Amino acid sequence: MREFQVMGSIIDEETRCKHYNSKVDIIAIKFHCCKMYFPCYSCHEESGCGTHKVWPKDQFNEKAVLCGICKHEMTIEEYKNSQYKCPSCHAEFNPGCGLHWELYFEN
């Protein structure tokens, strides 16, 4: 299994952070601007590159979402169509993340 470095205020090995740490807060997102994984927008704001850019629609085939349980790396399109479950290990993701789509991905 490939190892991924997730940056930010991580509190466990399943990518939960000080901002989002419920049972289902188990994804990290690779930010388009710096190509680094963070658990959330707030973590990126605190310790990221300082130049926030969302993923453009024409790059939704890029692998940019990481399951914190099995470390499966998904494309943005795969994540978008996942119904908030990992396609590899079937762990449940937080459906509330969909409310913040525009912080990470172009609408």
Side-chain angles (χ1 to χ4, degrees), residues 36-106:
M36 296 173 64
Y37 275 104
F38 288 86
C40 74
Y41 179 81
S42 295
C43 282
H44 182 260
E45 286 233 322
E46 290 174 359
S47 58
C49 67
T51 311
H52 180 78
K53 292 181 186 173
V54 299
W55 284 94
K57 284 183 184 179
D58 66 352
Q59 293 184 31
F60 281 12
N61 62 335
E62 296 290 326
K63 290 189 176 190
V65 181
L66 180 69
C67 173
I69 302 294
C70 71
K71 309 307 184 235
H72 175 69
E73 194 177 25
M74 295 165 267
T75 67
I76 297 163
E77 195 65 38
E78 188 178 17
Y79 173 66
K80 182 180 176 185
N81 296 319
S82 72
Q83 298 179 330
Y84 300 105
K85 286 189 179 182
C86 177
S88 179
C89 72
H90 308 289
E92 291 187 25
F93 302 145
N94 188 340
C97 292
L99 300 173
H100 307 129
W101 183 264
E102 74 283 352
L103 297 175
Y104 309 100
F105 313 111
E106 183 178 59

Side-chain angles (χ1 to χ4, degrees), residues 7-12 14-22 25 27 38-43:
M7 309 301 288
S9 301
I10 307 294
I11 61 169
D12 71 15
E14 294 178 347
T15 73
R16 291 177 190 90
C17 68
K18 72 178 187 180
H19 308 104
Y20 297 97
N21 49 52
S22 76
D25 289 316
I27 66 160
F38 288 86
C40 74
Y41 179 81
S42 295
C43 282

